[in-house]
Amino acid sequence: MDPGAKSNLKIAEKRGQARALPNGTILFMSATVSTDSAVAKLRQRAYQINAVSMAIGLMDWDQQCYMPPGGADARAEHIGILSQMKFDLETADETGRLIENAEREAAPNSEDAAMVRVMKRSYNLATKLPPTLTAEKNRLGALAHEEWVKARKNNDFATFAPWLEKMFDLTRQEAECYGYTNHIYDALIDLYEEGATEADCRRMYDTLKASNVDLIKAIGESPIKPDDSKLYGTWDESKQRAFTEMIVKEIGFDMTNGRQDTAPHPFCANFSTTDVRLTTRFKDYIGSAIFGSLHEAGHGMYEQGSPKKWDRSPLAGGVSLGIHESQSRTWENIVGRSKAFWSRFLPRLQEHFPSLSDFDLNTWYSAINKVQPSFIRVEADEVTYNMHTLVRFEIECDVLSGKMSIKDIPGAWNAKYKEYLGVTPETDSVGCLQDVHWSAGLIGYFPTYSMGNCLSYQFWNCLTRDLGDVDAMMAAGNFAPILNWLRENIYQHGCRYQPKELVQIVSGKPIGAEDYLEGLKAKYSEIYAL
């Protein structure tokens, strides 16, 4: 650092505007922070942690969307260093003292108390991990991502297996550090869905599996066979991009504060309520981009609907992955696969792609809701989807507990797909290599997708009770009442309440599968004349 910069840093430190950490990192602070408020000091620490976290997130988004493949090694080092910085801030003794002081100061049941609670949970979790473990896992994840991309492209599980072995080992170490009472999986699912356990997941899947198997069987025996063959072909990417951007804007995703790009695996990244980024992908099935964009827009609108006053704080954004997924599923399936939605958008799609002009509304509706067991989770229909996440959940539990070795994953995966869905993946690329999650160490994540499926219908029934004829609204292109209801009842609460509390506040009952199963039965009984 040159002499002038050192002088400016000393002045900023005296004014409380900056601070140099032992590792040389300089933290710049707002000059408006009150030195008298413990809560304000804790909030400032949250802003610092958030800034480093967003830098890591931006690097990850860039890696998946734009970074040249040759940048992987350097990117891994960058992310490893930043992850260590974030970890140092999260686990510093000073952070613990700030939490204790703010906890004494914050009024019970206030926003401040909620912020303290969220930060205390994060602090308690982070301080249970050895200082190098988080950084190593993030570094490994950056490298493993590139190996996963190559392995999936080349249908080569063997080259990816050593990376997966390392990632599961690090994740197992994390779980042991966090601690658990009954099953190692408990420590991991709790990271994504606070309070959930392996036993909760087992009960959910037992209920869903029994009903789904019966419904799948009845649909398979129905003489009605929707024809979706014309949805497969070669589709102009620029036209798909234009159409998908148009529909996500019309349902309410704010492109002034967001954007859409392409990635190997669709995802949503958010850096503030005013910077939310969607990704989609274009394949031979035209619905891939359409429903992928609607799905990610559901995540994105949840983030954009968080109160701006909470930006950069622990209260901003979605409270859990299950509730987050309920929103993506609402917009993808309940809205995006409805007849009312397509009464508005089918003519526009046919303008972009005249080869689809043979479809009328009813045949299109049946085609996009066709139930057919398949290999790819992200493109699975509503009825079979939960069996895809069940396969992943069972394999994760078995690998973590030592019942299954990494090398046995492909065989176990294929056997489970045959048992639950009646299909056997032809290659590992469409089998156990299809998801990005394990390369990033997101183990314990998949059950939250099925939780989201259940909650989507549970919340939707409350919404329709309050709003009335939502089909008429959608057919008229009036999505604002739907989005506003979700903002008022879910989005505006951010992380102020714990997941189970929020579900109770919104729906008046705990999470359950009843609304979801009833919704599926009603919808698909009509389509398949059951």
Side-chain angles (χ1 to χ4, degrees):
M1 183 182 297
D2 63 58
K6 287 184 178 180
S7 176
N8 290 336
L9 175 59
K10 289 182 179 179
I11 294 172
E13 286 179 315
K14 288 181 179 179
R15 293 176 177 174
Q17 296 172 346
R19 176 170 170 262
L21 296 181
N23 64 7
T25 303
I26 300 173
L27 301 177
F28 290 94
M29 308 173 188
S30 170
T32 60
V33 174
S34 168
T35 58
D36 297 324
S37 169
V39 169
K41 291 177 180 178
L42 180 61
R43 186 177 292 110
Q44 190 63 31
R45 175 52 59 99
Y47 292 162
Q48 295 163 3
I49 295 170
N50 174 264
V52 181
S53 180
M54 293 303 101
I56 296 169
L58 188 58
M59 284 187 171
D60 179 68
W61 171 84
D62 173 74
Q63 181 171 1
Q64 298 197 53
C65 295
Y66 291 108
M67 188 195 80
D73 288 345
R75 183 58 50 87
E77 295 303 323
H78 296 155
I79 290 177
I81 292 169
L82 287 173
S83 297
Q84 186 62 55
M85 291 169 58
K86 178 173 178 280
F87 182 79
D88 290 344
L89 281 169
E90 288 176 326
T91 61
D93 291 341
E94 182 181 352
T95 300
R97 288 192 294 271
L98 289 171
I99 291 171
E100 290 178 0
N101 294 338
E103 193 170 26
R104 288 192 293 267
E105 179 183 274
N109 302 317
S110 65
E111 292 181 12
D112 289 342
M115 183 193 73
V116 174
R117 187 199 75 243
V118 175
M119 284 200 73
K120 184 176 182 179
R121 168 175 157 82
S122 297
Y123 176 79
N124 288 339
L125 288 171
T127 52
K128 291 181 178 180
L129 299 178
T132 57
L133 183 56
T134 299
E136 173 59 18
K137 188 176 179 183
N138 280 280
R139 188 195 68 81
L140 177 66
L143 293 172
H145 177 269
E146 297 306 312
E147 294 299 324
W148 165 75
V149 171
K150 289 188 292 185
R152 189 180 68 163
K153 180 180 179 180
N154 299 326
N155 184 36
D156 187 2
F157 180 81
T159 61
F160 183 59
W163 297 90
L164 200 55
E165 186 82 56
K166 294 176 185 176
M167 188 58 76
F168 265 91
D169 182 59
L170 290 177
T171 303
R172 195 178 291 110
Q173 292 179 46
E174 282 187 331
E176 295 297 340
C177 291
Y178 292 134
Y180 52 89
T181 301
N182 297 313
H183 195 285
I184 188 171
Y185 204 80
D186 295 351
L188 301 175
I189 183 66
D190 180 73
L191 298 175
Y192 307 111
E193 195 70 26
E194 184 179 357
T197 65
E198 183 266 351
D200 293 334
C201 297
R202 292 278 179 196
R203 284 191 292 270
M204 174 184 70
Y205 281 122
D206 286 345
T207 302
L208 291 172
K209 181 181 176 181
S211 180
N212 281 170
V213 167
D214 290 344
L215 184 56
I216 292 169
K217 181 179 179 181
I219 289 172
E221 294 172 351
S222 170
I224 296 176
K225 306 295 181 186
D227 182 7
D228 65 346
S229 59
K230 291 185 178 180
L231 275 62
Y232 293 84
T234 301
W235 311 99
D236 183 274
E237 286 192 10
S238 63
K239 291 182 179 180
Q240 289 187 80
R241 184 175 293 108
F243 182 78
T244 55
E245 289 184 2
M246 179 270 294
I247 59 174
V248 299
K249 284 192 288 187
E250 288 217 11
I251 64 174
F253 182 76
D254 183 1
M255 282 292 187
T256 303
N257 296 315
R259 58 180 290 130
Q260 177 175 274
D261 297 276
T262 59
H265 190 102
F267 68 98
C268 172
N270 61 286
F271 306 105
S272 70
T273 57
T274 55
D275 186 0
V276 180
R277 308 185 186 193
L278 316 179
T279 67
T280 192
R281 64 180 173 187
F282 306 108
K283 304 187 72 177
D284 61 348
Y285 173 61
I286 194 169
S288 180
I290 293 170
F291 298 113
S293 292
L294 288 169
H295 181 101
E296 301 307 334
H299 287 304
M301 290 187 292
Y302 190 174
E303 295 297 330
Q304 289 181 336
S306 182
K308 286 184 171 58
K309 65 180 179 179
W310 290 346
D311 255 2
R312 301 184 294 132
S313 85
L315 294 185
V319 65
S320 73
L321 292 190
I323 293 177
H324 231 306
E325 189 66 12
S326 76
Q327 297 313 292
S328 61
R329 288 301 181 184
T330 292
W331 291 100
E332 175 194 358
N333 287 335
I334 300 178
V335 173
R337 295 182 191 271
S338 70
K339 189 177 293 187
F341 180 89
W342 286 105
S343 69
R344 178 169 181 80
F345 291 112
L346 181 58
R348 299 199 205 180
L349 181 64
Q350 291 168 331
E351 288 175 6
H352 284 78
F353 300 101
S355 63
L356 297 174
S357 296
D358 290 345
F359 283 99
D360 60 26
L361 181 58
N362 288 330
T363 57
W364 175 260
Y365 175 66
S366 296
I368 62 172
N369 286 291
K370 181 179 180 178
V371 175
Q372 181 173 317
S374 60
F375 306 131
I376 306 299
R377 174 186 61 83
V378 296
E379 294 171 4
D381 58 77
E382 286 184 282
V383 178
T384 62
Y385 184 90
N386 294 310
M387 297 301 97
H388 290 263
T389 61
L390 172 59
V391 169
R392 290 150 175 82
F393 165 69
E394 291 184 338
I395 288 177
E396 288 180 344
C397 288
D398 286 348
V399 172
L400 287 166
S401 61
K403 294 179 180 179
M404 182 187 299
S405 64
I406 294 295
K407 66 180 177 62
D408 293 330
I409 287 178
W413 182 288
N414 293 348
K416 289 177 183 295
Y417 263 73
K418 181 65 175 177
E419 178 184 355
Y420 300 152
L421 291 164
V423 297
T424 303
E426 299 169 355
T427 66
D428 290 337
S429 294
V430 297
C432 60
L433 286 173
Q434 67 181 266
D435 293 302
V436 70
H437 301 64
W438 288 346
S439 73
L442 297 175
I443 298 164
Y445 189 108
F446 283 109
T448 64
Y449 288 121
S450 291
M451 293 175 187
N453 283 335
C454 295
L455 285 171
S456 66
Y457 277 87
Q458 189 165 323
F459 291 154
W460 185 259
N461 285 348
C462 299
L463 180 152
T464 55
R465 177 197 62 205
D466 292 347
L467 296 183
D469 192 353
V470 293
D471 283 345
M473 297 174 192
M474 291 191 289
N478 183 18
F479 297 95
I482 297 172
L483 181 56
N484 289 338
W485 189 95
L486 294 169
R487 283 174 174 164
E488 180 180 349
N489 289 276
I490 300 174
Y491 303 173
Q492 72 156 336
H493 295 307
C495 297
R496 180 170 184 174
Y497 302 105
Q498 295 180 31
K500 291 179 180 179
E501 289 180 302
L502 182 60
V503 171
Q504 191 73 38
I505 289 170
V506 176
S507 66
K509 60 183 180 181
I511 180 174
E514 294 78 15
D515 292 273
Y516 173 72
L517 294 173
E518 289 172 5
L520 286 189
K521 184 177 180 180
K523 177 178 179 178
Y524 289 94
S525 291
E526 177 188 357
I527 293 173
Y528 285 91
L530 301 181

